[in-house]
Amino acid sequence: MNMKIATDKWDGYPHVLGAGAFSKRWLQRFFGKVEDMEQRFRKGMCDNILRNKKLILIFSEPSTRTSTFLTIAAQNLGANVIDIRDPENLSSMIKGEPFTEMIQVLSRGLHYGSVNGAPQGVIAIRHKKEGTARLATQFSCVPIINAGDGKGEHPTQGLLDVCTIQRIFGKISGLSFALAGDLLNGRTVHTLPLLLSKFDDIKMFFVSPPELAMPKDIKEELRARDVQFAESTDLREVAPHVDVIYQTRTQRERGSELDKNDRSLGYFIIDRTVLDLMKQDAIIMHPLPKVPGDTTLEVDQSRAAVYFTDQLDASIITKMTLFEMMFFPEE
Ligand code: CP
């Protein structure tokens, strides 16, 4: 029997580095807190809970959603946001300042005025090199959020993804998933299966060309947890059997050249054919950005597609909830 008491604090608290930090018990508590935050926010009860707190964004890779939605979430709670974009060219890094020293300096600035060590601010980092957010924790005196590290992980995206599934189906255990596209280089498809694997009776299909298959270490972790998964190159063969299709784009910035229109590689585009094969209540997710060839316009406008609706709503409210848990954790 698991006698562990549920608390707001995840493994590695207060940093948010990857899926490994979150247990099933913690995730279930998180889902409850997300709904509670939604209610309180709608009643105008959250506007100032992060007053005088600060978020620094350090993004050395492009971002539309994560940077903007972290900003909206923090501002919804009354925090201030400082945006350091392209630090290699637009901060003193161009004068030779090491990244780690920048973290040391900025975190000290955020920590100023802290009473009894309570966090006054948090730093969210997006970087092309895997492990950069983890490295930053060694130099920071405030919490670090991994907002995407190379081909590594994207935990805030993973949290919004599992929350979207929980909200739509009312459960995660017992569901089946197809993760499609460039599974080697996409970080969202590294975090998501690890989070899903915490739940019971999950089945996963990984749909990609063999050379862009899910990395071995993730498959090994799934095997170690007795999670059922299979690999395929044809979305048509998988679509009838899953509750969720999670599409991803080709990561050209990481050297991937997958052309989803090249039928000699397999079938990876979500189109009318795939839509017609899906279960009636199945959904289509995408972390975005979406590029031509991921889905057709008809699919974007279908009932099944939730990437322009539910996933975006979940993105804001999960980030708000996470911020509150970082700054004011309950035991
Ligand atoms: N999903 C996601 O990370 O989007 P951005 O790259 O726009 O932040």
Side-chain angles (χ1 to χ4, degrees):
M1 192 169 30
N2 186 356
M3 296 296 287
K4 226 172 151 183
I5 309 271
T7 127
D8 279 3
K9 293 184 178 172
W10 52 88
D11 286 350
Y13 177 90
H15 307 296
V16 179
L17 298 178
F22 306 118
S23 65
K24 178 183 175 193
R25 186 185 282 261
W26 184 89
L27 287 166
Q28 286 169 328
R29 184 176 170 100
F30 181 68
F31 297 150
K33 284 182 167 281
V34 166
E35 299 317 320
D36 177 64
M37 172 63 81
E38 172 98 25
Q39 296 301 321
R40 287 187 292 136
F41 183 58
R42 286 189 187 284
K43 289 180 190 157
M45 295 163 65
C46 303
D47 301 357
N48 280 313
I49 59 179
L50 294 191
R51 195 165 61 90
N52 295 332
K53 307 286 187 195
K54 291 168 187 65
L55 165 68
I56 296 183
L57 301 171
I58 304 176
F59 275 50
S60 66
E61 274 197 334
S63 167
T64 299
R65 275 145 297 276
T66 312
S67 53
T68 309
F69 283 26
L70 280 168
T71 300
I72 294 172
Q75 289 178 341
N76 280 349
L77 301 177
N80 296 313
V81 181
I82 299 142
D83 192 348
I84 300 178
R85 212 57 76 99
D86 190 13
E88 287 81 0
N89 292 301
L90 298 178
S91 79
S92 285
M93 280 184 76
I94 200 160
K95 302 177 206 165
E97 182 172 50
F99 184 80
T100 49
E101 286 185 15
M102 178 170 76
I103 296 296
Q104 201 175 340
V105 168
L106 294 178
S107 73
R108 178 79 186 191
L110 280 179
H111 195 61
Y112 182 77
S114 166
V115 178
N116 297 328
Q120 293 300 303
V122 37
I123 298 176
I125 297 172
R126 171 166 291 189
H127 202 278
K128 62 177 181 297
K129 195 165 168 209
E130 214 171 319
T132 301
R134 186 173 297 279
L135 174 72
T137 63
Q138 296 170 26
F139 296 85
S140 175
C141 54
V142 302
I144 298 290
I145 296 175
N146 176 10
D149 61 335
K151 300 192 233 185
E153 283 214 45
H154 195 345
T156 60
Q157 177 74 42
L159 289 176
L160 82 88
D161 288 337
V162 290
C163 189
T164 301
I165 297 162
Q166 172 68 30
R167 284 178 140 191
I168 290 174
F169 291 97
K171 62 174 187 178
I172 295 178
S173 294
L175 298 179
S176 298
F177 302 86
L179 277 60
D182 177 359
L183 303 183
L184 179 66
N185 297 298
R187 53 195 169 210
T188 64
V189 281
H190 298 163
T191 300
L192 182 59
L194 295 177
L195 289 178
L196 294 174
S197 72
K198 321 246 171 183
F199 293 84
D200 305 321
D201 193 20
I202 295 294
K203 292 188 191 69
M204 292 187 225
F205 297 89
F206 299 139
V207 187
S208 73
E211 56 276 17
L212 295 175
M214 187 61 77
K216 282 198 179 80
D217 57 333
I218 294 181
K219 289 190 279 193
E220 272 161 25
E221 201 163 331
L222 298 179
R223 279 192 199 100
R225 291 192 199 151
D226 280 335
V227 176
Q228 289 186 51
F229 69 86
E231 295 181 285
S232 167
T233 55
D234 195 336
L235 253 182
R236 293 168 303 185
E237 131 192 319
V238 165
H241 307 292
V242 298
D243 302 290
V244 177
I245 297 181
Y246 191 95
Q247 176 68 295
T248 55
R249 76 184 162 90
T250 301
Q251 304 273 313
R252 298 207 183 281
E253 71 272 37
R254 302 193 206 294
S256 182
E257 291 177 352
L258 168 62
D259 175 3
K260 291 185 180 151
N261 288 300
D262 183 349
R263 289 279 185 261
S264 70
L265 300 173
Y267 205 100
F268 309 105
I269 295 178
I270 309 181
D271 55 11
R272 180 81 249 168
T273 305
V274 172
L275 205 53
D276 286 343
L277 288 165
M278 289 171 63
K279 294 185 194 177
Q280 202 174 354
D281 296 329
I283 61 168
I284 300 164
M285 299 176 69
H286 196 305
L288 305 178
K290 202 160 63 58
V291 296
D294 285 358
T295 60
T296 59
L297 182 61
E298 188 178 15
V299 169
D300 294 347
Q301 294 170 344
S302 70
R303 176 218 54 84
V306 301
Y307 34 85
F308 290 136
T309 52
D310 305 58
Q311 270 182 281
L312 301 182
D313 295 345
S315 179
I316 298 286
I317 202 70
T318 53
K319 288 173 175 62
M320 290 168 66
T321 307
L322 189 64
F323 281 138
E324 186 177 44
M325 292 170 88
M326 289 179 95
F327 285 108
F328 304 108
E330 284 174 19
E331 295 302 331

